Amino acid sequence: MSDWVRSPVRSVPEDWIDYNGHMNLAYYVMAFDHDLDDLLDREIGAGPTFSKSHNQGPFALQNHVHYLDELLQGEAFYCKFLMLDGDAKRVHIAGSMHRASDDAPVCVMEQVLINVDHESRRSAPYPQDIQDRISAMVAAHAEIERPPQIGRPIGLKRT
């Protein structure tokens, strides 16, 4: 697991296209969210399956998205993820979306998630086995080059 965790390839459906003729910004976030749920389930056991069985699950605390290029109707794309950091309750994840035809990055996402108990609506630590998998993934991803957009502040540059 010393590389980005990659999602399956899929295509941009017609109903994701906005009045500018390309994939609407909300669907970039939705695509990342869908593929991230799959990663959390498969790789660390903290996704939808965990949520249903433990009445807990990850809530987004912060999400930062950089739109680099457009995707058009029918274009194939995939997402890939790095686990940047984590602790007992939180994970810091980077995602990169790529056009499948040329592997060009079209969007970069950075997100912080926190595990929340659904009954109390308060943060809760992950079980130790999940914490261990988070730590292992953070360590495995530590030396992988990050996209230059990660950690950048938002705002207008003045020259």
Side-chain angles (χ1 to χ4, degrees):
M1 191 186 327
S2 60
D3 199 2
W4 291 79
V5 179
R6 188 173 157 164
S7 74
V9 174
R10 54 196 166 123
S11 297
V12 179
E14 181 179 3
D15 61 339
W16 287 13
I17 302 302
D18 66 16
Y19 58 83
N20 290 311
H22 60 203
M23 189 163 101
N24 180 271
L25 65 95
Y27 292 106
Y28 286 82
V29 174
M30 189 175 79
F32 275 128
D33 189 54
H34 177 271
D35 289 345
L36 183 55
D37 279 346
D38 185 54
L39 171 143
L40 292 171
D41 239 11
R42 281 185 299 111
E43 302 293 333
I44 63 173
T49 303
F50 168 79
S51 183
K52 289 174 186 167
S53 66
H54 287 77
N55 203 28
Q56 299 178 11
F59 282 32
L61 290 176
Q62 187 174 8
N63 194 44
H64 196 173
V65 182
H66 295 264
Y67 300 95
L68 308 175
D69 202 349
E70 61 185 358
L71 287 173
L72 304 176
Q73 182 180 335
E75 280 194 297
F77 70 94
Y78 63 90
C79 297
K80 57 185 192 173
F81 297 93
L82 286 178
M83 186 71 66
L84 302 173
D85 200 2
D87 60 23
K89 296 179 183 181
R90 300 170 301 169
V91 294
H92 181 194
I93 296 174
S96 186
M97 185 180 295
H98 296 258
R99 185 181 302 106
S101 63
D102 61 3
D103 294 317
V106 296
C107 192
V108 172
M109 180 268 310
E110 181 177 13
Q111 191 170 79
V112 175
L113 302 171
I114 190 164
N115 188 48
V116 172
D117 180 284
H118 293 169
E119 190 171 318
S120 70
R121 308 310 277 182
R122 299 282 185 212
S123 65
Y126 283 113
Q128 190 61 51
D129 62 320
I130 292 176
Q131 291 182 45
D132 293 345
R133 286 191 289 278
I134 290 169
S135 294
M137 186 178 271
V138 168
H141 290 177
E143 300 301 319
I144 299 172
E145 185 177 353
R146 273 76 171 129
Q149 295 81 12
I150 299 303
R152 283 196 181 162
I154 191 169
L156 302 179
K157 291 183 183 177
R158 304 287 183 196
T159 55

